[in-house]
Amino acid sequence: LGRREKDMRNKFTQQGSDVQGDDEEEGEVDRSQGATRAISSYIDPGLCWDDIPWFQSITKMKILLKGVQCGEDAVLAFKAGLHGCVLSNHGGRQLDTCRPGIEVLPEVMEALKEVGATRESFSVFVDGGIRRGADIFKAVALGAAGVGVGRPVLYSLASYGERGIVRMVHMLQDELLMVMRLSGTPNVSSISAEHCITRNLADHIVPQPQDNLVQKTYVPLLPAARL
């Protein structure tokens, strides 16, 4: 996996997955760079498109490809017989400056349309950056079948447990319903690309999120004012 510097600073050394139970005595796993690097030692770097038929042969469940970052890969997934894909940059912790899923979405939907894929035959999901109900609305408007919510779940669970998760879902639901009302869309099927302006999607004119845990952990010293 990518160079996740915060995780490396945590120095997490406990067992990260079920398959790591017997590696302590053998010492084959480097745990000095955080849990993610330790767990990633079990990921086969040889995994490629040629392995898809094998996955299809061992399960009857629908298979989706996660981590798609361009229209070309989405088309390859469709032609390989997969049921969908998840647009994700893995929280921005893999390749620096790579595009978020919502920015890749219009390109992917256009590429899939050109090869004859439909929303019924191939589902596209957006993972990452979903913070408000309006974000869900935008993703659906641009063609997504659904979204993935990550960090809001972690924050809610860590702070308030199960009740926090329920509250978070209700907040997203209320926000989405409000945006739908104000946009004149009585149901999800009435949400279309005409409800979302995309001509400046790649301009990145919105303010970038700040890392409050690093930048605002301590209250900075302020110079004394002279009266």
Side-chain angles (χ1 to χ4, degrees):
L1 296 175
R3 183 179 174 84
R4 304 186 177 188
E5 296 177 352
K6 287 185 179 180
D7 187 38
M8 295 167 65
R9 295 191 188 102
N10 287 335
K11 303 298 183 184
F12 182 83
T13 58
Q14 298 181 21
Q15 178 179 332
S17 64
D18 293 339
V19 296
Q20 291 182 281
D22 301 327
D23 64 60
E24 292 289 355
E25 297 181 0
E26 299 175 2
E28 297 179 355
V29 178
D30 181 10
R31 297 174 181 271
S32 64
Q33 300 189 51
T36 304
R37 282 292 180 90
I39 296 175
S40 66
S41 63
Y42 290 89
I43 299 177
D44 185 358
L47 187 67
C48 65
W49 293 100
D50 296 334
D51 296 310
I52 291 180
W54 178 78
F55 284 108
Q56 294 170 327
S57 69
I58 63 173
T59 181
K60 295 182 180 180
M61 295 188 298
K62 294 183 178 180
I63 302 177
L64 284 74
L65 181 68
K66 184 177 186 289
V68 172
Q69 281 275 280
C70 63
E72 291 84 353
D73 283 347
V75 170
L76 286 176
F78 170 69
K79 292 182 176 180
L82 299 182
H83 296 86
C85 66
V86 182
L87 311 183
S88 172
N89 62 3
H90 304 292
R93 294 169 294 170
Q94 288 296 102
L95 177 63
D96 289 343
T97 71
C98 62
R99 298 184 296 169
I102 190 68
E103 184 176 327
V104 182
L105 181 57
E107 171 190 330
V108 167
M109 298 307 298
E110 183 64 27
L112 290 171
K113 182 180 179 180
E114 292 179 356
V115 296
T118 64
R119 295 190 182 186
E120 293 73 23
S121 62
F122 193 84
S123 300
V124 178
F125 298 86
V126 172
D127 179 54
I130 303 299
R131 299 292 183 269
R132 305 296 296 268
D135 299 329
I136 302 175
F137 183 92
K138 295 172 187 176
V140 173
L142 295 179
V147 301
V149 181
R151 296 183 187 180
V153 172
L154 296 178
Y155 298 156
S156 301
L157 180 63
S159 301
Y160 301 102
E162 181 181 353
R163 295 178 60 185
I165 297 293
V166 174
R167 174 59 176 161
M168 178 213 66
V169 173
H170 287 167
M171 290 176 64
L172 290 177
Q173 184 181 35
D174 292 342
E175 292 169 359
L176 176 58
L177 291 175
M178 179 59 68
V179 175
M180 291 176 62
R181 292 192 188 99
L182 297 177
S183 300
T185 52
N187 48 53
V188 174
S189 60
S190 63
I191 303 175
S192 65
E194 284 71 24
H195 293 96
C196 193
I197 300 174
T198 60
R199 62 174 177 267
N200 62 341
L201 183 62
D203 291 346
H204 300 287
I205 59 176
V206 297
Q208 296 298 311
Q210 296 183 352
D211 190 340
N212 293 317
L213 293 178
V214 172
Q215 298 175 357
K216 297 182 179 180
T217 301
Y218 302 101
V219 178
L221 294 176
L222 300 177
R226 292 184 178 180
L227 298 178

